[in-house]
Structure formats: structure tokens, C-alpha cells
Amino acid sequence: MRSLKFPEGCKGTQVYAINPTGGEGGGGGGCGGKVGEKFLQHLQDLRANSIRTKSSRNSHPPTNQTTRTNVPVESLLPAGFPTVDLMEPQIEPCLKSVDFVESLAAVYKKVEDSSQFEKSERILEQCAVFKGLCDPKLFRNSLRGARQHAVDVHSKVVLASWLRFERREDELIGLSAMDCCGRNLECPRACLVPGYDPESVNDPCVCSRGELEGGVLMGDGGECSTSDIDEVGGGGDDDDDDDCDMSFCIGDDEIRGVRYNVASLSRPFRAMLYGEFKESRRETINFSQNGISAEGMRAAMIFSRTKRLGSFELKIVLELLSLANRFCCEELKSACDAHLASLVCDMEEAMMLIEYGLEEGAYLLVAACLQVILRELPFSMHNPYVMKLFCGSEGRERLASVGHASFLLYYFLSQIAMEEEMKSNNTVMLLERLGECATEDWQKQLACHQLGVVMLERTEYKDAQKWFEEAVEAGHIYSSVGVARAKYNRGHKYSAYKMMNSLISDHTPVGWMYQERSIYCTGKEKMMDLNTATELDPTLSFPYKCRAVLLVQENKLEPAISELNKIVGFKVSPDCLELRAWISIVLEDYEGALRDVRALLTLDPNYMMFYGKKHGDQLVELLRPLVQQYSQPDCWMQLYDRWSSVDDIGSLAVVHQMLANDPRKSLLWFRQSLLLLRLNCQKAAMRSLRLARNYSTSDHEKLVYEGWILYDTGHREEALSKAEQSISIQRSFEAFFLKAYALADSSLDPESSKYVIQLLEEALRCPSDGLRKGQALNNLGSVYVDCEKFDLAAGCYMSALEIKHTRAHQGLARVYHLKNQRKAAYDEMTKLIEKANNNASAYEKRSEYCDRDMAKSDLSTATQLDPLRTYPYRYRAAVLMDDHKEAEAIRELARVIAFKPDLQLLHLRAAFYDSMGDTSCTLRDCEAALCLDPNHTGTIELYKRARERGNEPEK
């Protein structure tokens, strides 16, 4: 059973354009300005000179002209036409290496060579490196590893809060920030226990018990006796023992106690009671001027006797904490600190107690308050006190005084601030605090580079250049792009061009280098740089967009659409969909434009189009009257057709329209999440999944969606538990499907396979629609194949095809292949290729069922359609190695590793290097692969052999 969960695609930039009003050199007009005569004439020329055939992307005939409403062209295109001069690729706000393989290998060695007390910090560096890749799972797994190896409470609190934020549980209605997931990894109480215990993080947490192991937080077991409470409340003697030999007078109250017990609280008390002070000779000591009440002193006497805190009132414990600090009572302070920390459960308590903690230096109390604040993110960022504490230098110093200001903390906070509002002053201040906490080179590189990115967004180009230059000086070569961009925006175009020239000549060229240089040149040189950038890194969206706009300027609108189709076919981003919709409007392909606008709004509901002049929803409303209208039942049929033809973008558009009609339909939000996962848009998919959960009308349905959220963020066991809870409430297709899916996500033994089959059969007995039942039949067929029950598998696939689950052709082809019916397998895959809009995977799979030459052709087509698919590169490299063309095989792998450092690719290249006797390159690739997956058995064995060979003495 293949997972639908894929890495999230990198976000691109918006298309920027001007409204060419006025004369020949007219600049951008205001947001409400009209389109000038020159643009209107240009638009008419484009339409007259273009072939207005509908793109093959459209699966429905063009809308009848008579149904259209006249809409002014300036309403549809308020920003005029896109121009190359105003298009700039986004500078990524993360560490980006010239050689990612070297970076991965280096960070792996750091992690492996670190002590247990350093490991968490080293893994945090790995997190920062993974941010530069497009797979959020790598980042989350690394973050989980950092939490697993955390030693101090501060690190545990921040990392656990960060893990929770990655799931965005703040968006789930009905959940409290302090709700526990059931494991030590993120448990709020477990995070307040210091110490190194990496093996216990996945164990069930202690929330169900009354106290934490180690006595850090006391529950019922730490309560004092009834007599103790009575004594604190006043009334009766302070101590029934005959050993009382002294008393403290506070006002008119006399608090009796045992001199020895009081002296044991601290050295200052011992010196006062047994030293050379006059109090040592007195039975009654006046304590009225020491800032503690009679009730507080009674509590201190009880603690001196029992060494325990019980159910004292909050103000009494705060008094004891102050007394402990004044008289250096470490044991009392520790008990008060832990007790107060156990009381912090919400923002109100956190805001009230954090000041006490900071003033009294109470490490655990501040940690507990900090934990609530962090788990309330991003909402807590709107609290003025919180922002004052985090953003100001004075606040950072106060946190540092109690051990709670760290690079880790400000890294977390600054990432959220950049996501929420990159240009805000708070973001700048948090990044400045991040820089102040930076002690290692990679930390300085990151802080300075991100400050440069933010300043560039704020159009503060001089400051941006300064920060980028500091990042370059710290060793971050990619920040040179920021320096060049800042210079360019300050009017120093030639200086920016020369800088990129030097970068290309001084280092092994990478796609983003040529992409950046293309901004600073024109004509053929610009096109050459754009083409080289795509050749080196086909995942960069800017070159496709730039070429498309250049084609538009030559009145070649259909070729411009085709250029954008190349990248949209394997990497969907709002900016590319926006540009394609923009051109479709000029082509009067309003259905295509509306489809793309709806799809991009699914990826980013707040997207502003046309240089920020029009919200996507507004454009939808303008385009709707120009296309055929469908009822909700018609939309279901449209969705069925597009889903069956593997038209994921078209399916997204239909679901978006259906949600506009019925925005609280949880089933539709869930379908949307499945489509987004297929398109590698995990962030948007998780948002849709959270909305599905929030709009659920029943508990059993809500549990299923919560289970998918947990599964997609790496919590498989918890997901299974949610599925079982749902089934216990009501048997449903989705609950059984989730349970089967999660169980099958591992190596299945025969007994487990049998159980998964039973679960899928139960799912199929429950009510559902053809779209989901087709998926269940397809998965059931896959399990039957693994069990070598080929006839049963074929039956499942054929049943799936009967309800138009087109992907079942691939499973059926596999069955034919395993039955040695290779021609039938090839023909089956050909049917899939003919039916599917997105068919790169079909070409790849068909290559397994034909001869070498035909396989090469299919794999070449697969790479052209989707250069991110790694199997074609591995196949071609293996063929070259078989032909003893080692250097060519290495180059074939290096070509894709440069923009996609994949585990399998790195392992294969390491094996090639090993066979060639190149030990150093073997070790480097093994280390990079193990950085991605430290448990990959094949790479571990290869690495071990290479190290042993490397340690052998030379003969």
C-alpha cells in the first residue's frame, strides 16, 4: 500500500506586474487605476495574433458565448500585463549550501561525534539544514530527535512546543494548549523534568498519575497533612512537639519552632541561630522587618520540620519563595519553584506568575509559564506583554538571568513571526535577539541571512545588504544572492551582475546562481542563464515564469501556457497558477483561468493576485459569470470525472467550488486534503484536514480526522488509537480505512497482512462513495499481491476500474507482470497513460514491462514530465555502470542529487564509488544518506565497510 503523503512543494513568489497607464514610459498606477489605452491595444493585438484554441488541459468544451456576461477587461486584469523587469525570485530564508551533500555529511558527523549533552544542539543544526530541503518530514523527524536528546528543561519545553506547533493544534477547535498527546515527547509535565533519557520519550506519559517521577512536580503525594493545613491557617500551637525552643515574632503573632530545624534551612539561618549573632542567644526573635507574614512564617516552620510543601495558598508559597531567596534556602526555593510550576495551566496563570519567577530567579516556574506561552502560539504573539518580553533586549536579559534565553527559543519564535507577518517590527526584533544568542557560525549565518531577507521584504535595501554581507562573512555563500539583490535594488545593477559572475566562477555552478544572474542581464544572455538554471535545477519556478512572460511579450500565448505547464505538472505553486490564469484570461479561456484561481486559493486562501491589487476570491466572482454554472450534484459528477482522469488541479478547483456552496462540509475538506497531499502540498493539506476535523458533526468522524493529522505528522500509534476509538463509537468506512492504512505502513508479516485485509473488507462493507471505495479496493489489491494472491488482487483492481479508479491500472499491470504476462502489463500501463492527465509515474512504471530501448524512452519522458522522480536517474546510472561507464553513471546521479539529495540516490552513488575504490567519496555519500535516515540498513553496512577499509594501513 503506497502512502499518499509527500513532501510539501517549495513556495514560489508572486508574479509582479505594472499597470502601464499613460505614456510610453508609464509606471505603475494605483490599485484602482484604469488600464491605459496602450495596454488595451496591446491586448487586442495579442488576441488577434494568437490561436485561440483551448488548451488540451481542459476536459470540457468551451462555454457557450451566449451565457457570458460582459465584464470590463480592466476588472479582470487590474495590473495590466506581467513584465519581466518586475519579476524577482524569492530569496529563501534558510541555510542553503552550494553543496548540500557536503553539508549533510558534515552535520551527520557532528551529531555522531557529539556527547549526550551536546547532541540536541547538534541535531538542531541538522533541523536548520533540513529547512533548506522541500521535505517537511525530514525537519519534523529531526526536531523530534532534538527533543529526544534534550537534557535541560528549557530545551525540552521549547522543542515540545515546536513539535506541537508543527501540527498547528492551535487551529483545532475544542483543544486546550496544555492538552497532552499521551507521550513523554510532548507531555507538558514530562517536559518540566530535567535529565537525559532518550529511550523514554515515546513511552506513555505520567499525566494520569498523581506525581512525576523524581519528585519535581508534586501532586497528591506531596500534600501536607490536615494538621499542617490547620496550623498554616492559624489557631492552635505552631508545633505540638516539646522540642520547640524558639519563636519568631511578626507583629502581634508569635510563631514557635525548633531552632535546629530552622537552622537546617540555610547557612544564613544557621549563622543567625548558632553563630555569633545576638539572635543565637534569644528564645524570641523579632522577624517583623523581613517581608514575610505570620502565615508565611508558619508555613516556613512546617517546611523546616517536614521538608514538604502542601496545599498552601498561592500567596503563602510566593512569600516562601521570596524568603528562600533572601536567606539562601535552596531546598525551600526548589520546592516552591516546583510547586508553583505545577500550578501553571493557562495563559492567565502564566502571565500572573512569570513576573514572580523572573524576579525570584525561579527556573522551573519561568519554564512552566514559558511553556504555556509557547504552546499558545501564534495567538500569544498578540499579547503586548509577551512581545515586550521576547522582543526587547531587556526582556532577553531577564530571561537569560534565569536560564531561559537561548538561540533555540528565538529560532522558534522568529520562524513563527516570519510566517505570520514577515515585514513586522516584531519579526525584526526577534531576529535581532536571535543574532544576539548566536554563538556558532551556522547560527550567525542563519540569523544574519534571515534579517537580510526581512529587510529586503521591507525594501530597506541598505540594511538588507549589511545583514547579507555579515552572513557571507560568517560563511553562508548563498547570502551573496541577497547582497547582489540589495545592490540591484539600490541601482547598482552592474555590481550585482559582477558579483554573481564571481560566484559562478569560484564555485561549482548551481541552478540558483544562474537564476539570480539572469535578473541582471537581458536578451540572449538572459535566456541562456534561465535555460542553464533549469538544466541544473528544474525545480526552480522563476525561469519557467520568466520564459512564459517573454513568450507573451512575443505574442506567443499558447507556448507561454505550455511553458508553465512544464513546472505545474510536477510542482504546484500559487505564483505559477496565478501567471497561467493571467495568460488564460488574455486567451479568453475563462474556464482555465477560473480553475487555476480556485486551485491557488486552495493552496493559499489569502493570496493577493496581480501585484497585490486583487484578492483571489474577487477574481473568482468576476470570472464565474463567464463560465458555465454547475449545481452541487453536477459538481460531484465533475469531481468524479476529474478524479478518474487523475486531473488533480481540476479536482481541486471543483472541490473549491463545492466548498463555496457548502463551506462546513467536512467530507469535502477531507477530499481536498487528499488531493493536496497527492500534489506534495503538505502544509495546505494539513490545513484542510484541520478544517475537516473542526467541521465534523460527530465524534467518530472527528476522531478519524484527528487520526489522519497524527499519522501525517509521524504519530502512527496515536493515529491507530484514534481509529480504534472511532470504530468503538461507530463502524465507518473512514475509520476502518485509517486503521488499515496505518497498520500497513510497515513490513507486514502474514498474520498482519490478513488483519489488514479484514479491515479493508470491513471498510468496503460500510457506506461510502466510489472515489474512496476505489482507493480501498486498490489498497486491498496491493495487500493481496504482497500475499501472492494474484487472482484476488486482480479481482480487486478490476472492481476498482469498474468504478473509474484509474490508478488501479498500475496494480493490475503488476499482477500481469508477476504472472509473467509482460505484454498485458505493458498494455495496462498504456491505458493509464492515455487516461491520466498526470502520467509521469505511469511512464516510469511502464518502463519495467518493456525492453531496454523502450524503457529508456519511457524513463526519459518520465524525467521530462517530473524531474523529481528518482527512479529514472537510478535506472540510467545502473545501465551506465553495467556498460562500464563509471564516470557517466556518477554524472547522471550527480545531476539529480544537486537539486534533490535523496536517500536512495546517495546510497546508490556511494555504492558506485565503493566499487570504484573511492573511499572518501563513499564515506561522504554514506554520511549524507545517514543524515537523511540514520537507520537505513544498507547504507549503515556500506559505511561500516568503507570506514574499515579507510582505516587499513597503506601497503
Side-chain angles (χ1 to χ4, degrees), residues 1-5 137 140 167 169 172 666-667 669-671 673-674 677 682 685-690 692-693 696 700-724 726 732-745 760 763 772 775-776 779:
M1 293 169 68
R2 296 183 62 183
S3 172
L4 296 176
K5 316 302 182 284
K137 287 185 178 180
R140 280 200 302 269
R167 289 198 304 280
E169 288 194 1
L172 297 181
S666 59
L667 173 65
W669 288 110
F670 179 55
R671 293 298 163 79
S673 73
L674 295 176
L677 286 170
Q682 191 175 51
M686 294 304 294
R687 181 182 62 244
S688 298
L689 200 49
R690 289 191 293 272
R693 182 266 183 199
S696 298
H700 73 88
E701 185 184 20
K702 186 179 294 185
L703 286 164
V704 168
Y705 298 143
E706 288 176 359
W708 280 117
I709 291 170
L710 288 164
Y711 178 83
D712 289 339
T713 51
H715 299 271
R716 179 173 167 271
E717 296 299 324
E718 290 82 352
L720 282 169
S721 176
K722 293 286 184 180
E724 288 163 359
S726 179
S732 68
F733 173 91
E734 292 298 347
F736 281 115
F737 187 88
L738 169 60
K739 187 173 181 180
Y741 200 97
L743 283 172
D745 188 18
L760 288 171
R772 293 299 281 158
Q775 181 67 61
N779 290 2

Side-chain angles (χ1 to χ4, degrees), residues 724-951:
E724 288 163 359
Q725 289 178 53
S726 179
I727 292 169
S728 70
I729 298 172
Q730 182 172 321
R731 298 161 64 85
S732 68
F733 173 91
E734 292 298 347
F736 281 115
F737 187 88
L738 169 60
K739 187 173 181 180
Y741 200 97
L743 283 172
D745 188 18
S746 61
S747 298
L748 291 177
D749 54 50
E751 197 62 32
S752 299
S753 296
K754 184 178 179 181
Y755 185 44
V756 170
I757 289 170
Q758 290 174 357
L759 290 170
L760 288 171
E761 288 174 342
E762 287 292 337
L764 289 165
R765 292 189 190 102
C766 297
S768 188
D769 57 71
L771 297 176
R772 293 299 281 158
K773 291 212 169 185
Q775 181 67 61
L777 285 165
N778 197 62
N779 290 2
L780 182 56
S782 179
V783 180
Y784 277 137
V785 168
D786 293 340
C787 297
E788 299 185 357
K789 297 178 179 180
F790 301 135
D791 291 337
L792 289 172
C796 288
Y797 292 130
M798 289 175 180
S799 296
L801 288 170
E802 287 176 5
I803 53 177
K804 293 188 176 182
H805 188 78
T806 309
R807 285 181 172 83
H809 282 297
Q810 182 168 318
L812 191 55
R814 184 185 175 199
V815 171
Y816 288 142
H817 175 65
L818 292 169
K819 288 182 170 184
N820 294 320
Q821 299 173 17
R822 201 172 182 190
K823 176 66 168 59
Y826 182 88
D827 292 343
E828 202 65 35
M829 290 308 301
T830 302
K831 293 177 186 176
L832 178 56
I833 288 169
E834 292 170 350
K835 292 180 181 179
N837 280 23
N838 300 327
N839 51 22
S841 63
Y843 277 105
E844 178 184 299
K845 197 66 182 175
R846 191 175 72 170
S847 69
E848 299 178 22
Y849 311 135
C850 53
D851 59 39
R852 178 180 282 197
D853 290 338
M854 293 176 69
K856 283 183 178 179
S857 175
D858 275 357
L859 291 175
S860 178
T861 303
T863 297
Q864 186 179 357
L865 293 172
D866 185 354
L868 289 171
R869 303 193 73 84
T870 61
Y871 174 75
Y873 300 94
R874 288 187 280 130
Y875 177 88
R876 288 189 290 264
V879 169
L880 289 167
M881 283 297 285
D882 287 344
D883 294 340
H884 303 289
K885 298 177 180 179
E886 290 87 353
E888 291 179 45
I890 293 293
R891 280 198 297 272
E892 179 67 23
L893 292 177
R895 185 160 67 101
V896 61
I897 288 172
F899 61 85
K900 185 175 182 180
D902 173 79
L903 171 66
Q904 298 294 339
L905 293 168
L906 288 166
H907 174 75
L908 183 60
R909 192 171 71 170
F912 286 177
Y913 277 129
D914 186 57
S915 68
M916 296 162 61
D918 190 335
T919 303
S920 62
C921 288
T922 303
L923 290 172
R924 179 203 60 201
D925 281 359
C926 282
E927 287 160 354
L930 291 171
C931 186
L932 299 174
D933 182 1
N935 300 315
H936 190 255
T937 307
T939 305
I940 292 171
E941 293 173 356
L942 179 59
Y943 187 49
K944 183 179 179 181
R945 289 199 307 270
R947 290 186 69 177
E948 289 171 353
R949 188 166 57 253
N951 292 329

Side-chain angles (χ1 to χ4, degrees), residues 3-22:
S3 172
L4 296 176
K5 316 302 182 284
F6 294 98
E8 176 185 8
C10 297
K11 289 186 73 175
T13 56
Q14 282 196 20
V15 178
Y16 292 129
I18 59 171
N19 180 6
T21 56

Side-chain angles (χ1 to χ4, degrees), residues 9-14 89-90 541 545 571-576 607:
C10 297
K11 289 186 73 175
T13 56
Q14 282 196 20
Q90 181 185 14
S541 62
K545 291 162 51 184
K571 180 184 173 185
V572 181
S573 59
D575 56 313
C576 289
Y607 196 83

Side-chain angles (χ1 to χ4, degrees), residues 183-214:
R183 304 278 175 181
N184 285 330
L185 186 73
E186 296 180 40
C187 173
R189 295 183 68 188
C191 287
L192 295 178
V193 180
Y196 182 75
D197 189 8
E199 304 306 319
S200 71
V201 292
N202 292 316
D203 293 344
C205 64
V206 296
C207 286
S208 59
R209 300 202 297 270
E211 62 181 272
L212 279 182
E213 295 174 6

Side-chain angles (χ1 to χ4, degrees), residues 75-116:
S75 298
L76 295 175
L77 297 174
F81 215 73
T83 63
V84 172
D85 292 341
L86 292 175
M87 292 171 59
E88 292 183 4
Q90 181 185 14
I91 297 177
E92 296 182 39
C94 55
L95 294 180
K96 198 172 180 70
S97 174
V98 174
D99 188 341
F100 249 126
V101 175
E102 288 286 356
S103 297
L104 291 172
V107 77
Y108 173 77
K109 286 189 286 187
K110 286 183 181 180
V111 171
E112 289 301 299
D113 295 341
S114 61
S115 68
Q116 68 179 43

Side-chain angles (χ1 to χ4, degrees), residues 446-503:
L446 182 63
C448 293
H449 178 73
Q450 291 190 334
L451 269 166
V453 169
V454 170
M455 291 301 179
L456 198 67
E457 287 288 317
R458 288 161 61 102
T459 67
E460 298 176 22
Y461 300 124
K462 187 175 181 180
D463 285 340
Q465 182 176 333
K466 182 196 78 163
W467 287 114
F468 281 130
E469 285 172 344
E470 287 194 23
V472 173
E473 188 178 345
H476 192 230
I477 296 169
Y478 176 64
S479 294
S480 301
V481 169
V483 177
R485 191 79 61 86
K487 286 183 175 182
Y488 172 67
N489 283 294
R490 296 178 69 195
H492 308 300
K493 183 176 180 179
Y494 184 61
S495 177
Y497 177 80
K498 285 200 304 181
M499 187 168 191
M500 295 314 300
N501 260 348
S502 299
L503 198 64

Side-chain angles (χ1 to χ4, degrees), residues 478-531:
Y478 176 64
S479 294
S480 301
V481 169
V483 177
R485 191 79 61 86
K487 286 183 175 182
Y488 172 67
N489 283 294
R490 296 178 69 195
H492 308 300
K493 183 176 180 179
Y494 184 61
S495 177
Y497 177 80
K498 285 200 304 181
M499 187 168 191
M500 295 314 300
N501 260 348
S502 299
L503 198 64
I504 290 170
S505 61
D506 293 345
H507 300 91
T508 302
V510 187
W512 52 260
M513 296 180 184
Y514 286 95
Q515 172 180 268
E516 189 66 24
R517 193 175 70 173
S518 73
I519 301 172
Y520 315 129
C521 53
T522 57
K524 290 183 178 179
E525 188 178 0
K526 186 183 193 75
M527 188 59 73
M528 286 176 61
D529 276 355
L530 290 170
N531 292 338

